[in-house]
Amino acid sequence: MSGIKKAGVLGATGSVGQRFILLLSKHPEFKIHALGASSRSSGKKYSDAVQWKQQDILPESASNIIVEECKPDGNFKDCDVVFSGLDSDVAGEIEKNFVESGLVVISNAKNYRREPNVPLVVPIVNPEHINLVENKVKSELAKGNEKPGFLICISNCSTAGLVAPLKPLVDKFGPIDALTAVTLQAISGAGFSPGVSGMDILDNIVPFISGEEDKLEWETKKILGGINSNGTEFEPISDDKMKVSAQCNRVPVIDGHTECISLRFANRPPPSVEEVKKCLREYVCDASKLGCHSAPKQTIHVLEQQDRPQPRLDRERDNGYGVSVGRIRQDSLLDFKMVVLSHNTIIGAAGSGILIAEILKAKNLI
Amino acid sequence: MSGIKKAGVLGATGSVGQRFILLLSKHPEFKIHALGASSRSSGKKYSDAVQWKQQDILPESASNIIVEECKPDGNFKDCDVVFSGLDSDVAGEIEKNFVESGLVVISNAKNYRREPNVPLVVPIVNPEHINLVENKVKSELAKGNEKPGFLICISNCSTAGLVAPLKPLVDKFGPIDALTAVTLQAISGAGFSPGVSGMDILDNIVPFISGEEDKLEWETKKILGGINSNGTEFEPISDDKMKVSAQCNRVPVIDGHTECISLRFANRPPPSVEEVKKCLREYVCDASKLGCHSAPKQTIHVLEQQDRPQPRLDRERDNGYGVSVGRIRQDSLLDFKMVVLSHNTIIGAAGSGILIAEILKAKNLI
Amino acid sequence: MSGIKKAGVLGATGSVGQRFILLLSKHPEFKIHALGASSRSSGKKYSDAVQWKQQDILPESASNIIVEECKPDGNFKDCDVVFSGLDSDVAGEIEKNFVESGLVVISNAKNYRREPNVPLVVPIVNPEHINLVENKVKSELAKGNEKPGFLICISNCSTAGLVAPLKPLVDKFGPIDALTAVTLQAISGAGFSPGVSGMDILDNIVPFISGEEDKLEWETKKILGGINSNGTEFEPISDDKMKVSAQCNRVPVIDGHTECISLRFANRPPPSVEEVKKCLREYVCDASKLGCHSAPKQTIHVLEQQDRPQPRLDRERDNGYGVSVGRIRQDSLLDFKMVVLSHNTIIGAAGSGILIAEILKAKNLI
Amino acid sequence: MSGIKKAGVLGATGSVGQRFILLLSKHPEFKIHALGASSRSSGKKYSDAVQWKQQDILPESASNIIVEECKPDGNFKDCDVVFSGLDSDVAGEIEKNFVESGLVVISNAKNYRREPNVPLVVPIVNPEHINLVENKVKSELAKGNEKPGFLICISNCSTAGLVAPLKPLVDKFGPIDALTAVTLQAISGAGFSPGVSGMDILDNIVPFISGEEDKLEWETKKILGGINSNGTEFEPISDDKMKVSAQCNRVPVIDGHTECISLRFANRPPPSVEEVKKCLREYVCDASKLGCHSAPKQTIHVLEQQDRPQPRLDRERDNGYGVSVGRIRQDSLLDFKMVVLSHNTIIGAAGSGILIAEILKAKNLI
């Protein structure tokens, strides 16, 4: 269970797939072993199949790999872990096939996020949700069965940034019973083709992202929620225990989601501003404790300058795995207001997938 | 009290001053009579003094006027109304001098907005606040005194957009006791020099505008508030009756402030979404009823498309005097969420000043 | 041949089609009579078929029109003039059918621009090229035949801006034998869907527009060229008489193409900078002389400020029908350098079509 | 002459100074020893004096240094090399004082670039121009004198990108006698305060940068030129041997200058497109041969995709020390057209300064 792990990437030509490949190509613990895409691309060299749109050049370790169809055979069969950047319209069936074939899939697609027995994981927030599959794997192995395949879902990009500061606060000060979040989301989250049109976003903002508000409201409750007493299913926080209200906007920013949030603790009196800041500053995520390669040195960066965080200046903290929080202050309606910034394609998407895989490796699950 | 009125502009070379001049130059009821600026500009032809930065070319009616110092003599002495686009660091003293000299000043500066006896007016919202000065003028005239000078303040730009939909809602459904507003504000509001630096706003947002949140929270309570029983002072809504929480951001948009708001009515049960929409659609502001030249045909545009309003597409409604409201929907925390868009340099600044002057003319106050 | 003319629009739901409809809806001489689009849209009310993306709201005069297929029957049969905003992949066949059915078509598509007997017209530059079809019409009518259909092509957007200042210079100072043009083109020229992706144009420029350099180089020679001695075919300037070299870039600007050009006259000595400016300032295009409704009051705006023209500030001159030229100065390699700015969707596309139709009406050709 | 060198930075709080500090803080061969700024900052800790605006956080190695005035004493006295990011209005006097005090100054200011005995160096292009000061140093040391101070100027940002591909072409195919360059320059080149205003650059381009065209035309001739026969003065190429024509524009891009160039060789026949590409690809700059730490692995990246280079995607090649060239094709007027992209704050400013210092160290000049 040690050494370099073989990684596959589904949806390899898409924008999330390209990010997986870029991160894997520089990673000391993974090796790109299989790339899957639609039948339009399969059979071609990756460099011929892809319209590469990253700031780093196409990694040599990927460019000559022959793209396969997204089936759990061929090179995928030998993969220790498969990262899925598939669109949701095809992810459902393909990921199911892969898991049933005994493969470990880490998916950025939304299809299975709400399944009660599938972990929805932001690796700097709730890696303990992986315990559910860990238990299942141990149990099967104990029965003498083969190691089963399993699926872990990466959260929605705007959810990841939001829950990062909430977790340590809830751990320390108890439940949050009301939360509002207005997001200013970067366009890279929408991919390239078509993605967000230039005509829609230059000198403009779009105050709507399809399905986003519902995802943000629902996923937050699962990620901050618990597991049932049998250890078999997740139990999201109920709507009456935690009211979450989201308003999502697309803004002319390349990378980095900014979120203006306000929140109220259930316990009275609430902590002071200084206690909130201290709690966030001192938070060390489990991925860091496990020594994971990509884990941020500082999980939450608490900024004191009054005009920060800003996406262009702060999104790259800890290679995009750190989250920045600024303007922490009291709120006249709830308890606190603050601004949260996270890198939507790193901690909000592909990067989270990589860090989840590092945690799986640290736990000998791959 | 009829015919073309003589208008003066203070701070004529600045960005607000340029807007006043542009709007006046096309106006059938006003004529530019005096332009004031700092001693650096005074004595020069306006076209030589100004670095004109508007999309329309410098109006001929202004270009040859000799700029004066900001003193209540010279051509200013004969002005029926004086519009002030002065910076707040000099507006206090100058505007005071003008009013004490018997002039009528409509100011965009923040200096006197909180004075208990100075109307703070968004002309499509609370023109009835002008009654306070009207009473004073009548009272002085009744005593046989000369018509006194007076000051009317234009609200902060983000406040103007916010209160536009609130007014008809409060009139119809009673008090709002909780309100949150997260703003995405255009850069034109910050002027040109220095204004917002390109390095700060390209591929970026800035989650802070100095003093803005406080202005938005406070001014809303004065504008939606009443007048004391003597009719001599304004009585803003108290903090315990209405909680307002603002978070203000600068975004890469030229013109048009977008605000994501949520609100709760004091009365239970609250109206339905359809009742809210109907109320906003049917609202006709007093300026329209008075037949004012610049008054919007439709005060509030209720948009049904799920991704509107958008600043680039919707800011010019009714020449920037109309406010657009979209995405009206129920909120899980308060009662309703919606997105409000207003043109920050028209209804949020110079344009409001012009429309206030039209109301003064209609009321024979100038 | 007088009164209000009936206008049809082909490709009515696309970005050029929307612009045609917007301009026609405000036009005193035209009435929208027929709208054509693909079978996906035909049969629907225009307001249901279109995803309207203009700053002005969808005109009432268009919203209830039932969209037809692009066939020369139905309401199109009665149209005095048909404007085509069709994509080039379908424009060829459809426009041919319309002309053969006796209709007058003004097309923004590139398909027939290089046909020797089809006028390629920038209405502020070479309306005399319309003579060729005028002669043909007169000749057919003289023979006792029915008035024939004919086609007039609108030039490429970047060509229109370029040739505007060249025409008066060539008329006055003789042929230009060398010309370079580096363009900085707005994204509206590429339409909405997909158009230019936000990821491609935010914090970026794209130094390539497919086919654009060739169009700009070739069309310039036809527009500035003559007609053969029979009056039946156009004779573009030959490559050896005029060398044109273009480099085309897409930049993050909504509307307005900026072109940095340099040129050399064949005649020695060349004029002075002042003579060039005077020539451009004094140019009055024929459309203005004919009194056409949309013709610019000032065809070429010569700007003296050293940092102008700028697209955001100068693109709306004469409602987008005027062209701005600045920084006219001597060049160390050729004779002169200058910066040309034109509104790509007005004089560079739909607006030119409307002005061509006005000229046709003035000449009793519709 | 080995080991870690002590570096000073003049103009440390400005945008170029911040870049010097950032690059030095990560450099294995330099140590920040002295920071100089105006009297407003001197005496303060650097972290208190600076408004840090870089994507990387303020390096710890700089934050506690006490800022000094820009005088050649204090800590500056011991510096092996001093980098100047001073504004040109103060650079003249200060840099002169430093050199006269025996210090080695590498300056980004324009003041002394045209001095006949001061090397103007783009380190990937003409490091051999350093020979002139090397000879002087050796000569003084041979006389038994102290090692003299000297100054090396960094070129203008848009010049650096331009000359990078020209140098290998001239070395291989002989002189270029005609050159045009239209630049699309990023805003970071203008600094922060005021820099380029957001109102001037959003949805806009500015076709003018003060002094830039002259710099680009003149500096190119010095950098590609030679040294007189005495080895004491530089001899720029004369205007009649090489005509250079520049047109400079500011565009809404954060980093990376794009230049559309065309050129003609004096020798006939010119090389083929393939020979040009091969020559550029094979070019290895002397800094690379010397093994300098920051020297690019690949000096010129020749791109074959028709829509590249693009600033957002290609500016970071070789950490900003590599230059990208694309769209190499024949020109109808001169011989070749191509698009050149370079990182204006790295190879076009502070980065060049660092690489020049590395060359000086490799040559034992510091």
Side-chain angles (χ1 to χ4, degrees):
Chain A
M1 282 291 182
S2 75
I4 306 299
K5 298 296 177 186
K6 289 177 182 159
V9 178
L10 295 168
T13 58
S15 77
V16 177
Q18 291 185 26
R19 285 277 181 178
F20 276 130
I21 287 167
L22 197 57
L23 293 167
L24 289 168
S25 72
K26 304 172 180 175
H27 205 286
E29 300 173 325
F30 298 102
K31 180 185 182 306
I32 301 172
H33 187 71
L35 298 179
S38 71
S39 56
R40 200 177 53 245
S41 297
S42 67
K44 294 184 190 166
K45 270 175 53 181
Y46 183 65
S47 59
D48 294 335
V50 73
Q51 195 176 2
W52 186 257
K53 292 270 196 174
Q54 306 300 315
Q55 290 193 271
D56 293 84
I57 58 175
L58 204 166
E60 293 217 11
S61 58
S63 65
N64 288 313
I65 293 180
I66 302 299
V67 176
E68 302 174 52
E69 286 197 68
C70 295
K71 293 182 179 164
D73 45 27
N75 286 326
F76 280 112
K77 216 174 43 202
D78 310 320
C79 285
D80 297 296
V81 60
V82 175
F83 300 93
S84 168
L86 291 168
D87 283 340
S88 58
D89 53 347
V90 298
E93 194 67 20
I94 293 172
E95 294 176 1
K96 187 160 170 283
N97 290 343
F98 272 64
V99 170
E100 289 177 358
S101 301
L103 289 161
V104 174
V105 177
I106 299 174
S107 172
N108 194 58
K110 69 181 177 191
N111 306 56
Y112 296 108
R113 286 182 192 157
R114 301 192 187 194
E115 284 298 302
N117 61 351
V118 172
L120 176 63
V121 176
V122 179
I124 60 171
V125 171
N126 66 329
E128 68 273 15
H129 278 199
I130 295 172
N131 294 352
L132 193 141
V133 294
E134 190 172 12
N135 294 340
K136 193 180 152 202
V137 168
K138 284 182 181 162
S139 147
E140 291 296 317
L141 292 175
K143 292 184 202 160
N145 293 337
E146 281 209 2
K147 182 167 159 282
F150 58 85
L151 173 70
I152 295 179
C153 284
I154 302 166
S155 84
N156 180 42
C157 51
S158 59
T159 312
L162 177 63
V163 295
L166 299 187
K167 185 62 179 341
L169 293 177
V170 167
D171 284 353
K172 178 137 197 150
F173 304 115
I176 288 167
D177 67 2
L179 173 70
T180 69
V182 175
T183 69
L184 294 82
Q185 300 186 218
I187 61 173
S188 59
F192 310 130
S193 53
V196 178
S197 161
M199 285 298 287
D200 280 338
I201 208 63
L202 204 61
D203 183 21
N204 207 20
I205 71 110
V206 181
F208 176 74
I209 301 172
S210 184
E212 192 78 4
E213 294 172 357
D214 185 48
K215 285 183 206 166
L216 193 146
E217 293 177 358
W218 197 92
E219 294 181 9
T220 296
K221 292 173 189 159
K222 178 166 179 179
I223 292 168
L224 295 180
I227 305 183
N228 68 1
S229 52
N230 302 337
T232 55
E233 293 202 345
F234 294 100
E235 288 188 328
I237 300 168
S238 66
D239 291 353
D240 62 310
K241 290 245 172 78
M242 183 182 193
K243 287 184 172 22
V244 185
S245 173
Q247 302 189 62
C248 294
N249 301 283
R250 192 72 74 186
V251 296
V253 165
I254 290 285
D255 288 317
H257 286 356
T258 305
E259 309 189 34
C260 295
I261 75 173
S262 63
L263 57 89
R264 183 176 61 207
F265 291 100
N267 296 334
R268 305 279 89 190
S272 69
V273 165
E274 284 313 312
E275 286 169 326
V276 166
K277 288 182 182 176
K278 185 164 183 287
C279 167
L280 295 177
R281 277 202 182 97
E282 291 180 351
Y283 178 58
V284 181
C285 67
D286 287 350
S288 295
K289 291 176 189 159
L290 284 167
C292 291
H293 173 73
S294 306
K297 285 206 181 61
Q298 177 73 31
T299 308
I300 311 279
H301 295 255
V302 175
L303 306 179
E304 293 290 349
Q305 298 102 304
Q306 63 187 4
D307 62 352
R308 301 285 277 266
Q310 295 176 15
R312 196 173 71 75
L313 296 178
D314 297 310
R315 63 196 170 202
E316 300 289 352
R317 291 293 92 74
D318 293 275
N319 298 316
Y321 286 95
V323 170
S324 295
V325 181
R327 305 204 69 213
I328 302 172
R329 59 211 191 281
Q330 284 183 315
D331 182 26
S332 59
L333 183 64
L334 305 180
D335 290 341
F336 296 99
K337 296 191 274 200
M338 60 191 78
V339 179
V340 181
L341 176 77
S342 59
H343 197 304
N344 57 301
T345 76
I346 306 297
I347 197 62
S352 262
I354 302 295
L355 185 50
I356 289 170
E358 295 175 18
I359 294 170
L360 294 181
K361 184 163 180 284
K363 286 171 172 282
N364 289 327
L365 283 165
I366 58 171
Chain B
M1 280 291 182
S2 73
I4 305 299
K5 297 297 176 185
K6 290 178 184 160
V9 177
L10 295 168
T13 57
S15 76
V16 177
Q18 291 184 25
R19 286 277 180 178
F20 276 129
I21 287 168
L22 198 56
L23 292 166
L24 289 169
S25 72
K26 304 173 180 175
H27 204 289
E29 301 173 325
F30 298 102
K31 179 183 182 310
I32 302 172
H33 186 71
L35 299 178
S38 70
S39 55
R40 201 176 52 246
S41 298
S42 66
K44 294 184 190 167
K45 270 175 53 181
Y46 183 65
S47 59
D48 294 335
V50 72
Q51 196 175 4
W52 186 256
K53 292 271 196 175
Q54 307 300 316
Q55 290 193 275
D56 293 83
I57 56 174
L58 205 168
E60 294 218 10
S61 58
S63 65
N64 289 314
I65 293 180
I66 303 299
V67 177
E68 302 173 52
E69 287 198 66
C70 294
K71 293 183 179 162
D73 44 26
N75 286 324
F76 281 111
K77 215 174 41 199
D78 309 320
C79 286
D80 297 296
V81 60
V82 175
F83 299 93
S84 167
L86 291 168
D87 282 340
S88 58
D89 52 347
V90 297
E93 194 66 20
I94 294 172
E95 295 175 0
K96 188 159 168 287
N97 290 343
F98 272 63
V99 170
E100 289 177 356
S101 301
L103 290 161
V104 174
V105 178
I106 299 174
S107 171
N108 194 57
K110 69 182 178 192
N111 305 56
Y112 297 107
R113 287 183 192 155
R114 303 193 186 193
E115 285 299 303
N117 61 351
V118 173
L120 176 62
V121 176
V122 179
I124 60 172
V125 172
N126 65 329
E128 69 274 15
H129 277 199
I130 295 172
N131 294 352
L132 194 140
V133 292
E134 191 172 11
N135 294 341
K136 195 180 149 201
V137 169
K138 285 182 182 163
S139 148
E140 292 295 318
L141 292 176
K143 291 184 206 162
N145 293 335
E146 282 209 2
K147 183 167 159 278
F150 59 85
L151 173 70
I152 295 179
C153 285
I154 302 166
S155 84
N156 179 42
C157 51
S158 59
T159 311
L162 177 64
V163 294
L166 299 187
K167 185 60 180 338
L169 293 176
V170 167
D171 283 353
K172 179 140 198 147
F173 305 115
I176 287 167
D177 68 2
L179 172 70
T180 69
V182 175
T183 68
L184 294 81
Q185 300 186 217
I187 62 173
S188 58
F192 309 131
S193 55
V196 179
S197 160
M199 286 298 287
D200 280 338
I201 207 64
L202 203 62
D203 182 22
N204 207 19
I205 71 111
V206 180
F208 176 74
I209 301 172
S210 184
E212 191 77 4
E213 294 172 356
D214 185 48
K215 284 183 210 167
L216 193 145
E217 294 176 358
W218 197 91
E219 294 181 10
T220 296
K221 292 173 189 159
K222 178 166 180 179
I223 292 168
L224 296 179
I227 305 184
N228 68 3
S229 50
N230 302 336
T232 54
E233 295 203 345
F234 294 100
E235 287 189 328
I237 301 168
S238 66
D239 291 354
D240 62 310
K241 290 244 173 80
M242 184 184 193
K243 286 183 172 27
V244 185
S245 173
Q247 302 189 61
C248 294
N249 300 282
R250 192 72 74 185
V251 296
V253 165
I254 290 285
D255 289 316
H257 287 356
T258 306
E259 309 191 33
C260 294
I261 75 172
S262 63
L263 57 89
R264 184 176 60 206
F265 290 100
N267 296 334
R268 302 282 90 189
S272 70
V273 165
E274 284 313 313
E275 287 169 324
V276 166
K277 287 182 182 175
K278 185 163 182 288
C279 168
L280 294 177
R281 278 204 183 96
E282 292 179 353
Y283 178 59
V284 181
C285 67
D286 287 349
S288 296
K289 290 176 191 161
L290 285 168
C292 292
H293 173 74
S294 306
K297 286 209 180 57
Q298 177 73 33
T299 309
I300 311 279
H301 294 255
V302 176
L303 306 178
E304 293 290 349
Q305 300 102 303
Q306 63 187 5
D307 61 352
R308 300 286 278 267
Q310 295 177 15
R312 197 174 69 75
L313 296 178
D314 297 310
R315 62 193 169 203
E316 300 289 353
R317 290 294 90 74
D318 292 276
N319 297 316
Y321 286 93
V323 170
S324 295
V325 180
R327 305 204 67 214
I328 302 172
R329 59 210 193 281
Q330 284 183 314
D331 182 27
S332 58
L333 183 63
L334 305 180
D335 290 340
F336 297 100
K337 294 191 277 199
M338 60 191 78
V339 179
V340 181
L341 176 77
S342 58
H343 196 303
N344 57 301
T345 76
I346 307 297
I347 197 60
S352 262
I354 302 296
L355 186 49
I356 289 169
E358 295 175 20
I359 294 170
L360 294 182
K361 184 161 179 286
K363 286 171 173 280
N364 289 326
L365 284 165
I366 60 171
Chain C
M1 280 291 182
S2 75
I4 306 298
K5 298 297 176 185
K6 290 178 182 157
V9 177
L10 296 168
T13 57
S15 76
V16 177
Q18 291 184 26
R19 285 276 181 178
F20 276 130
I21 287 166
L22 197 56
L23 292 167
L24 288 169
S25 73
K26 303 173 181 174
H27 204 288
E29 301 174 324
F30 298 102
K31 180 184 183 308
I32 302 173
H33 187 71
L35 298 178
S38 70
S39 54
R40 201 177 51 247
S41 297
S42 65
K44 294 184 189 166
K45 268 175 53 181
Y46 183 66
S47 58
D48 294 335
V50 72
Q51 196 175 4
W52 186 257
K53 291 272 196 173
Q54 306 299 316
Q55 288 193 275
D56 293 82
I57 57 174
L58 205 168
E60 294 219 8
S61 57
S63 65
N64 288 314
I65 293 181
I66 303 298
V67 177
E68 303 174 51
E69 287 197 67
C70 293
K71 293 181 179 163
D73 45 25
N75 286 325
F76 280 112
K77 216 174 42 201
D78 310 320
C79 285
D80 296 297
V81 59
V82 175
F83 299 93
S84 167
L86 290 168
D87 282 340
S88 58
D89 54 347
V90 298
E93 194 66 21
I94 293 172
E95 294 176 1
K96 189 160 168 285
N97 291 343
F98 272 63
V99 170
E100 288 177 357
S101 301
L103 289 161
V104 173
V105 178
I106 299 173
S107 171
N108 194 57
K110 69 182 178 193
N111 306 57
Y112 297 108
R113 286 183 193 156
R114 301 193 188 193
E115 285 299 302
N117 61 352
V118 173
L120 176 63
V121 176
V122 179
I124 59 171
V125 172
N126 66 330
E128 68 274 16
H129 278 199
I130 295 173
N131 294 352
L132 194 141
V133 293
E134 190 172 11
N135 294 341
K136 195 181 149 201
V137 169
K138 285 183 181 163
S139 147
E140 291 296 318
L141 292 176
K143 290 184 205 161
N145 293 335
E146 279 209 3
K147 183 166 158 280
F150 60 85
L151 173 70
I152 295 179
C153 285
I154 301 166
S155 84
N156 179 43
C157 52
S158 59
T159 311
L162 177 63
V163 295
L166 299 187
K167 185 61 179 341
L169 293 177
V170 166
D171 284 352
K172 179 140 199 147
F173 304 116
I176 287 167
D177 67 1
L179 173 69
T180 69
V182 175
T183 69
L184 294 81
Q185 299 185 218
I187 63 174
S188 58
F192 310 131
S193 56
V196 178
S197 160
M199 287 298 287
D200 280 337
I201 208 63
L202 203 61
D203 183 21
N204 206 19
I205 70 112
V206 181
F208 177 74
I209 301 171
S210 185
E212 192 77 4
E213 294 172 357
D214 186 47
K215 283 183 210 166
L216 192 145
E217 295 177 358
W218 196 93
E219 293 181 10
T220 295
K221 291 173 190 159
K222 179 167 179 179
I223 292 168
L224 295 180
I227 305 183
N228 68 4
S229 51
N230 302 336
T232 54
E233 294 202 344
F234 294 99
E235 288 189 328
I237 300 169
S238 65
D239 289 354
D240 60 312
K241 289 244 173 80
M242 184 182 192
K243 286 183 172 24
V244 185
S245 173
Q247 302 189 62
C248 293
N249 301 282
R250 193 71 76 185
V251 296
V253 165
I254 290 286
D255 289 317
H257 287 356
T258 306
E259 310 190 32
C260 295
I261 75 172
S262 61
L263 59 89
R264 185 176 60 206
F265 290 100
N267 296 333
R268 304 280 90 187
S272 69
V273 165
E274 284 312 312
E275 286 169 325
V276 166
K277 287 182 182 174
K278 186 164 182 287
C279 168
L280 295 176
R281 277 203 182 97
E282 291 179 352
Y283 179 59
V284 181
C285 68
D286 288 350
S288 295
K289 290 176 190 161
L290 285 167
C292 291
H293 173 74
S294 305
K297 285 209 181 57
Q298 177 74 31
T299 309
I300 311 280
H301 294 254
V302 176
L303 306 178
E304 294 290 348
Q305 299 101 305
Q306 62 187 4
D307 63 351
R308 300 287 277 267
Q310 294 177 16
R312 197 174 69 75
L313 296 178
D314 297 308
R315 60 194 171 204
E316 300 289 353
R317 291 294 90 75
D318 293 275
N319 297 316
Y321 286 94
V323 170
S324 295
V325 180
R327 303 203 71 215
I328 302 173
R329 59 209 193 281
Q330 285 184 313
D331 182 26
S332 58
L333 183 63
L334 304 180
D335 290 340
F336 297 100
K337 295 191 277 200
M338 61 191 78
V339 179
V340 181
L341 176 77
S342 59
H343 196 303
N344 57 300
T345 76
I346 306 296
I347 197 61
S352 262
I354 302 296
L355 186 49
I356 289 169
E358 294 175 20
I359 294 171
L360 293 181
K361 183 161 180 287
K363 287 170 172 280
N364 288 325
L365 285 163
I366 60 171
Chain D
M1 283 291 182
S2 73
I4 305 298
K5 297 296 176 186
K6 290 176 183 159
V9 177
L10 296 168
T13 56
S15 77
V16 177
Q18 291 185 27
R19 285 277 181 178
F20 276 130
I21 287 166
L22 198 56
L23 292 167
L24 288 169
S25 73
K26 303 171 180 176
H27 205 288
E29 300 173 325
F30 298 102
K31 179 182 183 308
I32 301 172
H33 187 71
L35 298 178
S38 70
S39 55
R40 201 177 52 246
S41 297
S42 66
K44 293 184 189 166
K45 269 175 55 180
Y46 183 65
S47 58
D48 294 335
V50 73
Q51 196 176 3
W52 186 257
K53 291 271 195 172
Q54 307 299 318
Q55 290 193 275
D56 294 83
I57 56 175
L58 204 168
E60 295 218 9
S61 58
S63 66
N64 289 313
I65 293 181
I66 302 299
V67 176
E68 302 174 52
E69 287 197 67
C70 293
K71 294 183 178 162
D73 45 26
N75 286 325
F76 280 111
K77 216 172 45 201
D78 309 320
C79 285
D80 296 296
V81 60
V82 175
F83 299 93
S84 167
L86 291 168
D87 283 339
S88 59
D89 54 347
V90 297
E93 194 67 19
I94 294 172
E95 294 176 2
K96 187 159 169 285
N97 290 344
F98 272 63
V99 170
E100 289 176 355
S101 300
L103 289 162
V104 173
V105 177
I106 298 174
S107 172
N108 194 57
K110 68 181 178 191
N111 306 56
Y112 295 108
R113 286 182 193 157
R114 302 193 187 194
E115 285 297 302
N117 61 352
V118 173
L120 176 62
V121 176
V122 180
I124 60 172
V125 171
N126 65 331
E128 67 273 14
H129 278 199
I130 296 173
N131 294 352
L132 194 142
V133 293
E134 190 172 12
N135 294 340
K136 194 180 151 200
V137 168
K138 283 181 181 164
S139 147
E140 292 295 317
L141 294 175
K143 291 184 202 162
N145 293 336
E146 281 210 359
K147 181 165 160 281
F150 60 85
L151 173 70
I152 295 178
C153 284
I154 301 166
S155 84
N156 179 43
C157 52
S158 60
T159 311
L162 177 64
V163 295
L166 299 187
K167 186 60 180 340
L169 293 177
V170 166
D171 283 354
K172 180 141 197 147
F173 304 116
I176 287 167
D177 68 2
L179 173 69
T180 69
V182 175
T183 68
L184 294 82
Q185 300 187 216
I187 61 174
S188 59
F192 309 131
S193 54
V196 179
S197 159
M199 287 297 287
D200 280 338
I201 208 63
L202 204 62
D203 182 21
N204 206 20
I205 70 111
V206 180
F208 176 74
I209 302 172
S210 184
E212 192 78 4
E213 295 173 357
D214 185 48
K215 283 183 207 166
L216 193 146
E217 294 178 357
W218 197 93
E219 294 181 10
T220 296
K221 292 174 189 160
K222 178 168 180 178
I223 292 169
L224 295 180
I227 305 184
N228 68 2
S229 51
N230 302 338
T232 54
E233 293 202 346
F234 293 100
E235 287 189 329
I237 300 170
S238 65
D239 290 353
D240 61 310
K241 291 244 172 80
M242 183 182 194
K243 286 184 171 26
V244 185
S245 173
Q247 301 189 62
C248 294
N249 301 282
R250 192 72 75 187
V251 298
V253 165
I254 290 286
D255 288 317
H257 287 357
T258 306
E259 309 190 33
C260 295
I261 75 172
S262 62
L263 58 89
R264 183 176 62 206
F265 290 101
N267 297 334
R268 304 281 88 188
S272 69
V273 165
E274 284 313 311
E275 286 168 326
V276 165
K277 288 182 181 173
K278 187 165 182 286
C279 167
L280 295 177
R281 277 202 182 97
E282 292 179 351
Y283 178 60
V284 181
C285 67
D286 287 349
S288 296
K289 291 176 189 161
L290 286 166
C292 292
H293 172 73
S294 305
K297 285 208 181 59
Q298 177 73 32
T299 309
I300 312 279
H301 294 255
V302 176
L303 306 178
E304 293 289 350
Q305 299 102 303
Q306 62 187 5
D307 62 351
R308 300 288 275 267
Q310 294 177 15
R312 197 174 69 76
L313 297 177
D314 297 309
R315 62 194 171 204
E316 300 289 351
R317 291 294 91 75
D318 293 277
N319 297 317
Y321 286 95
V323 171
S324 295
V325 181
R327 304 205 67 214
I328 302 172
R329 59 209 194 282
Q330 285 183 315
D331 182 26
S332 58
L333 183 64
L334 305 180
D335 291 340
F336 297 99
K337 295 191 276 200
M338 60 191 76
V339 179
V340 181
L341 176 78
S342 59
H343 196 303
N344 56 300
T345 76
I346 306 298
I347 197 61
S352 261
I354 302 295
L355 186 49
I356 289 169
E358 295 175 19
I359 294 171
L360 294 180
K361 183 162 181 286
K363 288 172 172 278
N364 289 327
L365 284 165
I366 60 171

